[in-house]
Amino acid sequence: MKLDQEEVLGELYNLLLNKGTREWERGQLNTTKEAVESGGKLKEQLAILEAQLRPLASRNNLTPDVADFYLKIKDEPEGHIAFDFEKHLLSDLKNQERAIFAGGCFWCMVEPFEKRPGIISVLSGYTGGELASPTYDQVSGGYTNHVEAVEIIFDTRLVSYAQLLALYWQLIDPTDAFGQFQDRGSQYRSIIFVQNESQKQVAEQAKAQVIASGKYTRPIVTEIRLASPFWPAENYHQQFYQKQPKRYRRIKRARQQLVRFQSLKDKVPLRKPKPKK
């Protein structure tokens, strides 16, 4: 797809104003913008920018919006996929509800829910913290007390909140207070964010059933909290499993292996220390 100069300059300008753009990235982007505005050939300047960004891109270490732009100038298909945030709305208040679940990296939380009948939309984002409109760097650095989470809009005629909870418990390790599987840190805690008293009762019943099942030998630490503002994550993170299927499959496979390992470990009773003579 051929990039239009006016479109590129517009994106560069927006990235320069974007609070999530790191200073080093901002410097490279500004150099490109000034060179193009001064008459430099767009194709040549983008090639220079691509070379500058490539080392960080190869390590998946660009900020999300810059990563999207990098994929676009590389003409990678995923760089041209934009999540339609306007479709993530309750359009039928009588028959639709929201559910918010945090259970580790939101990349692995979208597909299981999105492929379930009755799901209208699944949005990755940040919630539970103090800062408004946090960036990925702020959340991943543990500076805001947010967790990565998914907000689900579902049709109550086709799937119930209790059924979503049943799926949720299958995706997490509810005994881990310091993250989820390979995702370590407070931003990966497992938390159920309820919208109202009805959801709270259903969630507490589901948690009680998990505890009573005896499946886990360690305490269940998954929290149940009243929902707080949910801030959408950057476009790069939305529907990640569709945009970068190979990378997603590797992450999903590692997570599934850890889920199986944890399941086996929890079936082994903890050894009680022998009493001292």
Side-chain angles (χ1 to χ4, degrees):
M1 181 183 294
K2 187 177 180 180
L3 292 174
D4 175 78
Q5 180 165 314
E6 185 176 345
E7 176 190 352
V8 169
L9 287 173
E11 293 206 34
L12 287 170
Y13 182 76
N14 288 333
L15 287 171
L16 290 171
L17 295 178
N18 190 324
K19 69 176 183 178
T21 303
R22 299 181 193 131
E23 285 307 308
W24 181 85
E25 293 172 330
R26 188 172 281 110
Q28 305 305 314
L29 296 168
N30 191 53
T31 297
T32 301
K33 176 177 173 291
E34 290 180 347
V36 173
E37 289 177 333
S38 299
K41 292 184 178 179
L42 180 65
K43 187 175 181 180
E44 292 179 1
Q45 296 305 318
L46 289 180
I48 294 171
L49 177 61
E50 188 276 327
Q52 293 291 334
L53 298 178
R54 191 185 309 154
L56 288 180
S58 67
R59 298 195 295 272
N60 302 307
N61 199 25
L62 293 172
T63 51
D65 291 330
V66 175
D68 264 349
F69 183 68
Y70 177 82
L71 291 170
K72 186 174 291 187
I73 64 178
K74 285 271 293 179
D75 203 21
E76 297 289 342
E78 56 266 36
H80 299 282
I81 300 174
F83 186 83
D84 189 353
F85 290 94
E86 292 184 359
K87 288 186 177 180
H88 188 79
L89 296 171
L90 287 173
S91 57
D92 182 351
L93 297 179
K94 181 181 178 182
N95 298 304
Q96 293 176 5
E97 282 187 31
R98 295 181 191 272
I100 299 177
F101 301 125
C105 177
F106 42 34
W107 290 351
C108 292
M109 292 288 288
V110 175
E111 182 192 22
F113 287 107
E114 197 164 72
K115 291 189 173 181
R116 186 76 182 254
I119 301 301
I120 296 166
S121 179
V122 182
L123 180 68
S124 295
Y126 315 114
T127 191
E130 297 85 21
L131 186 68
S133 301
T135 67
Y136 178 73
D137 273 7
Q138 290 171 330
V139 175
S140 62
Y143 306 124
T144 66
N145 206 35
H146 287 86
V147 290
E148 292 192 10
V150 290
E151 182 181 68
I152 303 163
I153 296 178
F154 63 101
D155 189 325
T156 56
R157 295 168 296 185
L158 301 175
V159 63
S160 68
Y161 185 62
Q163 289 173 317
L164 295 184
L165 280 167
L167 175 58
Y168 171 73
W169 289 110
Q170 296 174 33
L171 300 175
I172 66 166
D173 173 7
T175 68
D176 190 345
F178 305 103
Q180 286 292 293
F181 310 110
Q182 70 267 44
D183 304 317
R184 311 314 301 160
S186 63
Q187 69 272 29
Y188 299 120
R189 291 165 292 160
S190 61
I191 305 175
I192 300 168
F193 292 91
V194 297
Q195 306 289 319
N196 47 48
E197 186 62 29
S198 176
Q199 284 193 357
K200 181 181 178 182
Q201 291 178 6
V202 175
E204 288 178 341
Q205 290 171 2
K207 183 176 178 178
Q209 289 171 358
V210 171
I211 295 172
S213 72
K215 179 181 177 181
Y216 299 95
T217 57
R218 295 179 296 168
I220 303 301
V221 297
T222 299
E223 297 179 60
I224 298 174
R225 288 194 204 172
L226 186 63
S228 54
F230 185 92
W231 305 100
E234 298 84 347
N235 179 72
Y236 177 83
H237 295 300
Q238 304 301 332
Q239 296 179 309
F240 188 84
Y241 78 96
Q242 292 183 355
K243 292 190 287 189
Q244 299 205 32
K246 290 183 179 179
R247 187 178 170 198
Y248 170 72
R249 280 196 296 269
R250 289 196 299 270
I251 298 170
K252 180 181 178 182
R253 187 161 51 246
R255 183 174 173 123
Q256 288 174 333
Q257 289 171 346
L258 287 166
V259 169
R260 287 193 291 270
F261 172 75
Q262 185 63 52
S263 178
L264 289 171
K265 190 170 70 171
D266 280 318
K267 290 178 182 177
V268 179
L270 294 174
R271 290 185 179 180
K272 295 182 179 180
K274 293 181 180 180
K276 294 182 180 180
K277 293 181 180 181

